[in-house]
Each structure stands twice: as structure tokens, then as C-alpha cells.
Amino acid sequence: MTVPARFSFNQATAKYWPIPDLVAGCVAAGVSQVGLWREETAAHGLDKTAALMRDAGLAVTSLCRGGFFNTPDWYDENRRAIDEAATLGAPVLVLVSGGLPEGSRDVDGARAHIGDAIGELVPYARAAGVRLAIEPLHPMFCSDRCVVASLGQALDLAAPHPTDAVGVVVDTYHVWWDDQVWAQIARAGREDRIACFQVADWITPLPEGVLLGRGLPGEGCVELRRFRDAVEAAGYSGPIEVEVFHAGLWARPGAEILDRTLAGYLGHVD
């Protein structure tokens, strides 16, 4: 199987695949790019992971996640996340901005705080050579995970900041439903804000807790090639990460997950 040059395998798709095995599996399959997550990287060891990636010749396309600006320690925690991205050689730190503060119903205030918080982090991120990427999440996650619920909102939050410091994530799972998304992708291209492009399909019925309702490309209802064409028309030519959260998929061997992910990508994205 020929691996497209832009394909990136996000670690979350094979959550329980140990990092050394993931690296070996990607090298064996001819995959040259991966997206990493902070928790798994910390468990293996940040410096060990960075060395492993370098020695294997794997590029780290993004690190997830920073954000959660509704927590008291958001500033120090995000500085640590920026440092980790820099150590790993990840050009992008994905920001999941956080839900409402405890006891609050003020969605507008929460979004305004996110804008202010990102502004405080910009000098540190620029000095580290890491671009902050605001990821909008589906509105069902607004209360607890992310009050940024559309690509338009993410672009509005990014707008005051330099383009090399702050961009947005286009994640098909989270934005496929939005009838404004095509215009907003075009806007993101004009404003040079697309920092990361992630694909996953939407499958129903959603499981309890809804977080693990993603499918591999081709398993759901999202027009994935239309998204790929739209981001390319907007000028984005960077990596395309497949990022899937699904318990049934995670129960399979890592090499099988990677093989199925590549097949879905070739059949429905590439």
C-alpha cells in the first residue's frame, strides 16, 4: 500500500498502542508523520519520545492538547504544553479551549476570556516557534470541553493575533454539520489561518458520553473529500491527520488500526 505524502497518523486513533510500537509500526508501513498527545508522551517520557521520533525519521505534525482556559492553572499549563511541542518538534499545539467555568452560564464571557488568554500566550509561543491552533468542537461539547463551537468563532478569536502565532484547526468531525463551514474555510484561507486539518467520520447512534462517536473515513456521513478539496482550495497543503476516538477500534491491534486507517484515507480522503 502506497502511503500518501500528506497522511499523518494521529496517536489517538490507536490510543493503547505503546509509543515504541507505534513508531516501529509507522516506519514499517511507510508512514512518515504522526500527531501526538501530551498524556501518552509524558507517560513514555518527553525526551525519550522526541529522540525516538528523530531517530526513526518521523515528523510530529501536531501536539494535542493545550487550552482548557477555564481551569485555574491554564497559564502555566499552556506554557508547559508549548515547551513540550517545541521539544518534540511539533509546529502546532492544538487548543481545546475548555467549557464553562464551574457554576457559570456566561458563554460569551468564557469566549472572551479565551481570546484574552491566547493573547497572553502568543509571545511565549512565538519565541518557542510553536503555532497555537484553536480547535472548534461540536456544540454538544460546549458546556464541558469547548465553548468555541464553530470555525467562524475560532477565526474571530484568532483574528487579533499574528498569523504565524495563531491559527485554527479544521476537524471534519466537529464542523461537518455547519452550513457556514465552506465560507469559513475560504475565509480561513484568505486570512492564512489553517494550521491543522484533521479528518474523522461521524457515526450514529452516538455512544453514551458521546466522546467516542468517531469513525474511520468512510464509516459515517461526512463528505470528507469535499473538505479536503475545500481546504486545498483555501491554500492549505500541509499534513492531513486522521484522528478517531472509538472504543471498538482501540481494542484492535495497533498495526491493524493503522492498516484500516490508511485504507479509509485512500478510499475516502485522498
Side-chain angles (χ1 to χ4, degrees):
M1 184 185 302
T2 301
V3 179
R6 297 176 65 190
F7 173 82
S8 176
F9 184 67
N10 191 286
Q11 182 179 29
T13 307
K15 182 176 177 65
Y16 302 117
W17 206 8
I19 285 180
D21 296 340
L22 179 149
V23 169
C26 285
V27 170
V31 173
S32 61
Q33 303 182 108
V34 296
L36 294 179
W37 278 66
R38 294 181 67 203
E39 294 86 351
E40 285 74 15
T41 297
H44 184 68
L46 177 64
D47 291 334
K48 284 175 61 179
T49 301
L52 190 60
M53 296 294 160
R54 287 195 302 269
D55 293 346
L58 291 178
V60 180
T61 52
S62 72
L63 179 65
C64 195
R65 60 193 180 206
F68 283 88
F69 299 114
N70 57 325
T71 60
D73 63 344
W74 66 264
Y75 182 72
D76 291 337
E77 186 61 28
N78 277 277
R79 282 168 58 105
R80 282 191 288 270
I82 291 166
D83 290 341
E84 291 166 18
T87 298
L88 292 165
V92 170
L93 175 66
V94 175
L95 301 181
V96 176
S97 297
L100 291 169
E102 186 175 356
S104 173
R105 294 180 174 85
D106 184 3
V107 178
D108 293 338
R111 291 190 184 121
H113 168 65
I114 289 165
D116 293 340
I118 290 170
E120 290 190 46
L121 291 171
V122 161
Y124 195 83
R126 293 188 89 182
V130 174
R131 193 178 189 190
L132 305 174
I134 305 167
E135 180 172 18
L137 267 59
H138 190 281
M140 65 183 172
F141 296 111
C142 192
S143 67
D144 62 342
R145 289 185 179 274
C146 190
V147 295
V148 183
S150 71
L151 188 56
Q153 290 171 2
L155 287 167
D156 289 345
L157 288 166
H161 309 295
T163 59
D164 67 328
V166 183
V168 298
V169 181
V170 178
D171 183 326
T172 60
Y173 177 79
H174 290 300
V175 300
W176 72 273
W177 57 274
D178 186 355
D179 66 346
Q180 298 300 308
V181 72
W182 311 113
Q184 294 301 326
I185 289 174
R187 172 191 169 190
R190 291 192 301 272
E191 298 176 5
D192 192 22
R193 293 290 180 181
I194 303 177
C196 183
F197 177 40
Q198 297 178 330
V199 298
D201 224 329
W202 178 283
I203 55 176
T204 47
L206 292 173
E208 183 179 358
V210 303
L211 184 63
L212 307 185
R214 300 184 182 214
L216 291 172
E219 293 182 344
C221 61
V222 182
E223 295 180 287
L224 296 174
R225 279 206 179 93
R226 185 179 179 188
F227 272 96
R228 186 209 65 191
D229 290 345
V231 298
E232 287 181 357
Y236 180 79
S237 59
I240 303 174
E241 295 186 7
V242 181
E243 183 190 60
V244 175
F245 309 157
H246 194 280
L249 185 66
W250 288 345
R252 296 177 179 272
E256 180 185 337
I257 296 171
L258 177 57
D259 186 63
R260 290 182 61 188
T261 302
L262 274 167
Y265 181 94
L266 289 166
H268 299 277
V269 180
D270 194 49

